[in-house]
Amino acid sequence: MSLPPELDFLEVFFVDPYQAARSAEWLLSDFDANVWEYSFGFKEPKYIDWDVKLNDGSSLIDKKNKELLDGLKYFLTGSTHANTAPGPKLQWASELARAVHIVDFLLLNAEQFKLAQYGLAGLGRDKLKLILSEIGSSKDTAESIYGWSKRMSLYGLNLALKTSKIEIALAIAQWPELAIITPEQIDENTLDIPLELIPQVRAALHLKGLYRASREKGHTPNSVRLSNEIYRNTLRGRFEDKPVIKTLAVQNGDDFVREYPPIPVATGARDKMGDINFSEYRRTLYGLGGLHHLGVPAPSTEDLVSAKNFTIDTASAGRFRSLPSQVVFSAVRNSIEFYLKHGSKIVDGFCRTIMYCKKENIPLSKLTDQQFQKVVGEDLTSLGVEKLGISRRAVDTPYASELKGTKSEYFTKLRSNHGLIELVKILIGCTQVVTGALMGRRIGELRDLHANDCLDVSEQWLVFVNRKSTYNLFGARQVEVRPIEPIAVKMIKNLVRMQKILKRVGFISELQGLFASPSGKGNAVFTKTSVYSFNQNLDLFCDYFETQTNEDGKRYYIRQHQLRRFFAMLFFYSSSFGGLETLQWMLGHTDVKHVWHYLTESMDGATLRGAKAQFVAEALHCGDVASFESLAALLKARYGTEDFTIVDTEELEDYLSDLMEEGSLEIEPEFIEDDEGQRFKVVARVKQVAA
């Protein structure tokens, strides 16, 4: 049917389903092509090669497998057809990825499913449920879909058996670190390989050229090259990078990223796939039913309905662990003090160094320590600055030659201010802490901040993109503004000033993300604001200021999601140590209720609930039972004691959060106005307790 141009948009309702199934907006190739080229517009085109082996030795593209091949192709194109709203390309990419994962799982287990003999119609309800059970068994698709650890174990053992024992012994003698297995690697081992054989497997991988160097992770197996061998009969698995198997990582000397192991940032079991992801995979698998409309063999409708109703015990989403209030308050205080004392001179010294190298036409990697100390300025040398970077490579030395030294030496130098690059990253980390705590935004929203336009013209508002504002907006995110406290503005402007100077002298071509950081590789090139660089700045901050450690020798390494409740925590604590003056000043409100309304309007329920639970848990742990008598009685029945100082704070907090989620507990401020003015106290009301 031919429609006039002004009614083109109606064509979708007149398309033959068979023809529609043979196309997709992202598919750039002909449906019948043996190699598909596809793209979602925001990345380089990718490819799907359908020439893969099945369990009977035939290829999927052989004539005898035509029905199976078409069914799998229709399954992929149909995975994105349900979403026809404009601009859903990111969602399409996710939907296609899930469908490809399911196809890869079928291909990897083709023998078990007798795929070559019975095709997709041979997938009965038990096999469909088995597929879902395996997919939901791990939050990591490299494990649940591809069995990465198991298959890597088999590959590694087979390779070691095939490799000459003499060559293996010689490799270990030449590279002794191949034989070193750290206690952490033993604790985190996921391989089905006896520990005594790990050095031989490493040596065999090394001899085959399958290791690659990584600054952060040492020498690790090249998972893409390995995948190309292990997963040859898959569509995507053979091309995808896989997680580092830490047991096979080989470190050069005492390599490290943090001074201490990190205290976990989340509670709850998180090994299995979460409810939402599992539901999405189940929905995608159910899409095989669409093949019936095309006359292509598929699992029966009854079996698909049975699979659609199938559930497993998925992972608890867990909660983010709370930072003790004193850790957060100290971090904000240290950040502001560091900026006030050293912020300007760190930026001045760094820019002066860059300008000197530009003027003298000297690459930063060639700058000697003597030249650096002459140009960096007395303010910084008197502070302890000796080098451009502590872990910077020496001039004219290969990549692997680092000056980082041992862990003890490095962190002593870090806190003695020896490296300017490290101080710049710590300064950026300080700005991240203050901005993140004061604004309570998601890490993605902070990463999106740009030095060119993160502040409005009045410099009183922070301009950011709301990462949770895409619903019913055709994929476009809203730009929002929020008031920001003057000290944060000053810290932000200091970073903007640094980037403007670097741009003016030609060190960077344009202004970048606000929290873009210099690398420590010797050239100090500014890297984009990735999650890794953002968190690396926070890690340096925590090690520099030596944030609290626990009895297990682990340190609190701050993450942005833990800072989001800072304002609410400050509100609650202000009721007990000196009033709301500081908080009111920060927010520009003079009325206590106005401050509370601002918090409830600008903070999501989970974050606010977490702040309430943390405040009350810490108060009870510190012995303030009198303020929460009814709650204390309930807790006594649970813990068998009125002395909550012996109860773990995190356990108390989790229990209080559970009570609030089920509606059994309400924690709210109660406002009081008397001769002394307006004030409040935090009240915990026990409403009911589920049996």
Side-chain angles (χ1 to χ4, degrees):
M1 178 177 179
S2 179
L3 294 171
E6 61 270 21
L7 297 179
D8 281 350
F9 65 91
L10 292 177
E11 286 186 355
V12 67
F13 299 105
F14 297 94
V15 174
D16 177 3
Y18 176 76
Q19 290 300 322
R22 293 176 61 83
S23 63
E25 187 171 324
W26 45 266
L27 181 59
L28 306 180
S29 304
D30 182 76
F31 180 85
D32 291 320
N34 291 332
V35 178
W36 275 8
E37 181 181 4
Y38 69 97
S39 173
F40 297 99
F42 47 82
K43 288 185 178 180
E44 291 295 318
K46 292 185 178 181
Y47 299 89
I48 293 177
D49 187 347
W50 293 98
D51 185 10
V52 295
K53 296 295 182 186
L54 295 179
N55 53 292
D56 65 350
S58 66
S59 172
L60 183 58
I61 64 174
D62 288 350
K63 186 177 180 179
K64 71 182 261 325
N65 298 316
K66 173 68 172 170
E67 284 188 337
L68 174 60
L69 175 62
D70 283 349
L72 294 176
K73 286 183 173 181
Y74 287 135
F75 176 56
L76 295 196
T77 57
S79 66
T80 61
H81 280 170
N83 190 339
T84 57
K89 293 183 179 180
L90 283 172
Q91 190 168 342
W92 281 346
S94 298
E95 290 167 343
L96 179 64
R98 284 191 292 270
V100 171
H101 280 158
I102 290 173
V103 173
D104 273 358
F105 186 83
L106 294 174
L107 294 171
L108 279 171
N109 298 280
E111 177 61 39
Q112 182 178 2
F113 297 127
K114 301 299 180 185
L115 204 58
Q117 289 84 352
Y118 306 118
L120 295 176
L123 299 176
R125 67 184 61 190
D126 290 339
K127 290 180 179 177
L128 292 172
K129 291 176 181 179
L130 173 64
I131 293 169
L132 290 173
S133 294
E134 288 298 316
I135 289 175
S137 66
S138 174
K139 62 181 180 179
D140 187 351
T141 55
E143 295 295 340
S144 62
I145 303 292
Y146 298 106
W148 173 231
S149 296
K150 291 181 180 179
R151 292 178 184 270
M152 188 62 206
S153 299
L154 288 173
Y155 178 86
L157 283 171
N158 287 332
L159 183 63
L161 288 172
K162 294 176 183 176
T163 306
S164 163
K165 300 299 181 185
I166 296 175
E167 290 182 358
I168 286 177
L170 183 60
I172 294 174
Q174 293 174 338
W175 192 9
E177 286 83 358
L178 287 169
I180 299 175
I181 307 173
T182 68
E184 291 79 9
Q185 289 176 321
I186 295 174
D187 291 342
E188 299 177 15
N189 184 29
T190 59
L191 296 175
D192 295 326
I193 299 176
L195 285 176
E196 63 271 18
L197 296 181
I198 292 293
Q200 297 177 38
V201 172
R202 289 175 176 175
L205 292 170
H206 167 59
L207 289 167
K208 197 170 180 181
L210 290 172
Y211 271 98
R212 60 182 175 186
S214 166
R215 177 173 175 77
E216 291 80 30
K217 301 169 185 175
H219 286 77
T220 59
N222 187 324
S223 64
V224 174
R225 287 187 58 193
L226 283 163
S227 294
N228 200 32
E229 295 196 27
I230 297 173
Y231 303 108
R232 286 180 181 174
N233 59 328
T234 63
L235 304 184
R236 174 175 286 184
R238 54 179 154 168
F239 302 118
E240 284 187 333
D241 210 346
K242 304 294 188 300
V244 171
I245 297 177
K246 295 182 180 179
T247 312
L248 295 178
V250 182
Q251 304 291 352
N252 275 332
D254 189 6
D255 201 6
F256 46 86
V257 177
R258 292 176 288 239
E259 186 173 18
Y260 292 97
I263 294 174
V265 298
T267 62
R270 301 180 66 86
D271 292 330
K272 291 186 177 180
M273 184 175 286
D275 282 331
I276 295 176
N277 278 346
F278 179 76
S279 297
E280 293 291 345
Y281 273 100
R282 184 175 56 194
R283 179 180 60 80
T284 301
L285 183 66
Y286 184 70
L288 284 170
L291 301 182
H292 288 293
H293 298 294
L294 302 170
V296 177
S300 72
T301 302
E302 294 79 9
D303 289 343
L304 285 167
V305 170
S306 178
K308 183 183 179 182
N309 297 322
F310 178 67
T311 60
I312 63 171
D313 291 329
T314 51
S316 165
R319 297 188 180 100
F320 289 121
R321 287 187 184 272
S322 301
L323 287 170
S325 54
Q326 68 269 23
V327 172
V328 183
F329 295 149
S330 295
V332 174
R333 184 186 67 245
N334 287 333
S335 296
I336 293 173
E337 289 179 352
F338 185 84
Y339 160 72
L340 292 174
K341 290 179 181 178
H342 311 303
S344 295
K345 56 189 176 186
I346 288 174
V347 167
D348 291 344
F350 184 70
C351 292
R352 196 159 45 239
T353 303
I354 300 298
M355 288 189 287
Y356 172 81
C357 289
K358 283 288 182 180
K359 180 181 177 182
E360 300 296 326
N361 199 26
I362 302 173
L364 275 173
S365 58
K366 303 291 185 180
L367 184 69
T368 66
D369 292 342
Q370 292 75 18
Q371 290 172 313
F372 170 74
Q373 289 168 15
K374 288 180 181 178
V375 73
V376 74
E378 187 177 342
D379 284 344
L380 289 178
T381 54
S382 62
L383 186 64
V385 175
E386 296 181 355
K387 301 175 178 292
L388 179 60
I390 303 173
S391 57
R392 173 183 175 231
R393 292 195 302 280
V395 176
D396 296 327
T397 56
Y399 177 86
S401 179
E402 300 286 343
L403 299 180
K404 203 168 185 178
T406 66
K407 181 182 290 188
S408 175
E409 292 171 344
Y410 176 82
F411 288 105
T412 298
K413 291 177 181 178
L414 178 72
R415 288 187 282 268
S416 298
N417 305 316
H418 280 206
L420 180 56
I421 289 176
E422 285 77 11
L423 287 177
V424 172
K425 293 175 73 66
I426 291 166
L427 176 64
I428 296 172
C430 289
T431 311
Q432 290 174 191
V433 167
V434 172
T435 306
L438 296 185
M439 302 309 298
R441 309 312 305 184
R442 298 175 179 86
I443 182 175
E445 292 164 346
L446 297 185
R447 286 175 51 215
D448 287 343
L449 292 175
H450 198 276
N452 194 47
D453 57 8
C454 60
L455 294 173
D456 79 317
V457 291
S458 71
E459 297 182 345
Q460 295 179 347
W461 301 78
L462 190 70
V463 182
F464 62 91
V465 175
N466 188 333
R467 286 234 168 179
K468 291 288 186 178
S469 62
T470 59
Y471 184 70
N472 279 344
L473 290 174
F474 310 114
R477 298 204 297 264
Q478 291 178 333
V479 175
E480 297 184 5
V481 294
R482 287 288 184 272
I484 183 169
E485 203 276 319
I487 187 62
V489 172
K490 291 180 180 179
M491 297 176 75
I492 288 171
K493 288 177 65 179
N494 194 43
L495 299 188
V496 173
R497 179 174 70 92
M498 175 173 64
Q499 288 203 29
K500 285 183 175 179
I501 295 173
L502 296 180
K503 179 185 176 185
R504 189 167 65 245
V505 301
F507 185 69
I508 58 177
S509 59
E510 57 185 4
L511 297 187
Q512 303 182 25
L514 176 63
F515 300 119
S517 308
S519 71
K521 296 181 180 179
N523 53 12
V525 169
F526 267 58
T527 59
K528 65 179 182 179
T529 314
S530 64
V531 173
Y532 174 79
S533 66
F534 191 94
N535 288 337
Q536 184 188 50
N537 295 338
L538 293 177
D539 288 347
L540 280 172
F541 170 92
C542 292
D543 285 325
Y544 182 84
F545 289 107
E546 298 181 275
T547 53
Q548 185 178 321
T549 56
N550 65 10
E551 63 275 9
D552 297 324
K554 297 180 179 180
R555 169 161 284 165
Y556 284 104
Y557 287 99
I558 297 171
R559 291 296 178 260
Q560 175 55 31
H561 53 252
Q562 297 173 305
L563 293 176
R564 295 191 63 197
R565 62 175 67 165
F566 169 79
F567 252 126
M569 289 299 297
L570 187 57
F571 176 87
F572 292 127
Y573 270 95
S574 68
S575 67
S576 58
F577 65 67
L580 282 164
E581 291 84 0
T582 300
L583 189 58
Q584 289 171 323
W585 172 65
M586 285 181 174
L587 295 179
H589 295 300
T590 56
D591 186 279
V592 178
K593 290 183 180 178
H594 288 176
V595 176
W596 177 245
H597 289 322
Y598 175 88
L599 291 174
T600 56
E601 290 172 5
S602 62
M603 191 170 289
D604 64 83
T607 302
L608 190 56
R609 186 168 57 245
K612 294 174 182 178
Q614 181 179 352
F615 171 75
V616 174
E618 289 183 347
L620 290 169
H621 187 76
C622 292
D624 184 10
V625 177
S627 299
F628 309 101
E629 290 183 359
S630 60
L631 178 59
L634 173 63
L635 295 175
K636 180 182 177 182
R638 176 182 174 87
Y639 294 106
T641 180
E642 291 181 343
D643 183 8
F644 301 115
T645 61
I646 63 175
V647 181
D648 182 72
T649 309
E650 289 180 351
E651 184 180 342
L652 270 176
E653 183 185 332
D654 285 345
Y655 183 52
L656 296 181
S657 292
D658 290 339
L659 290 175
M660 283 191 286
E661 285 182 19
E662 68 186 32
S664 302
L665 176 65
E666 198 174 75
I667 299 175
E668 297 291 333
E670 186 175 272
F671 299 98
I672 305 164
E673 193 155 354
D674 54 23
D675 295 340
E676 297 180 3
Q678 195 180 55
R679 54 191 177 87
F680 75 96
K681 63 178 180 179
V682 179
V683 178
R685 298 185 181 90
V686 179
K687 300 167 65 177
Q688 61 181 25
V689 180

